[in-house]
Amino acid sequence: MTIKEFYENTHSDYDDAMERLGSEKLISKYLLKFMDLTDYNDMINSIQIKDWEGGFKASHNLKGIALNMSFTALAKSGSELCETMRHGAPQSDITDLVKQVEADYKLVMTELKKYRDELQ
């Protein structure tokens, strides 16, 4: 799988990533580092225990990384979830937002694993 195919498969913006990072070598480096980040799990754990500040911080980090890596779908869903926790406990049910972030994140991770495995 090429980096461009990875971006297409994850509803992300390859051209923006190239403009931002400048080379496929650098993109590849950060794609592989993304797999080691704990922000998604931290966010889920915080939400489960209703630690809204922790959930906000973790979702904010995830959103920022997704924006920097041009993971368009994950950045969008992460931003929506992040904003619901910005000022503490959400005023509405966030189940659907969490499910969308989960789906977008899992798609990125599934494709990243394929990408990594093909490199080896």
Side-chain angles (χ1 to χ4, degrees):
M1 169 188 310
T2 67
I3 290 175
K4 189 169 187 170
E5 289 169 333
F6 164 82
Y7 273 83
E8 290 169 356
N9 294 347
T10 59
H11 315 292
S12 299
D13 191 336
Y14 171 82
D15 293 330
D16 187 60
M18 281 296 290
E19 186 175 315
R20 184 181 311 277
L21 297 172
S23 73
E24 284 197 354
K25 183 177 181 181
L26 199 53
I27 292 171
S28 181
K29 173 184 173 181
Y30 288 115
L31 287 178
L32 298 174
K33 284 183 179 254
F34 183 84
M35 297 177 76
D36 296 328
L37 299 176
T38 64
D39 297 302
Y40 172 78
N41 290 328
D42 295 345
M43 178 192 73
I44 295 299
N45 292 336
S46 293
I47 290 171
Q48 287 175 341
I49 63 170
K50 299 185 183 337
D51 171 10
W52 304 118
E53 182 178 345
F56 169 74
K57 287 178 182 177
S59 66
H60 191 270
N61 289 344
L62 183 63
K63 171 193 75 166
I65 294 163
L67 284 168
N68 286 330
M69 293 301 300
S70 303
F71 297 160
T72 309
L74 180 57
K76 182 179 184 289
S77 62
S79 180
E80 291 172 7
L81 179 59
C82 177
E83 289 307 311
T84 65
M85 295 184 286
R86 181 173 291 280
H87 302 290
Q91 300 301 309
S92 59
D93 184 22
I94 62 171
T95 303
D96 289 341
L97 293 173
V98 172
K99 285 181 181 177
Q100 187 60 56
V101 171
E102 178 181 30
D104 295 336
Y105 177 81
K106 285 185 175 181
L107 177 60
V108 167
M109 292 302 288
T110 297
E111 294 300 311
L112 276 175
K113 288 173 185 167
K114 290 178 192 175
Y115 174 73
R116 179 198 60 201
D117 292 348
E118 288 183 19
L119 288 177
Q120 297 174 351

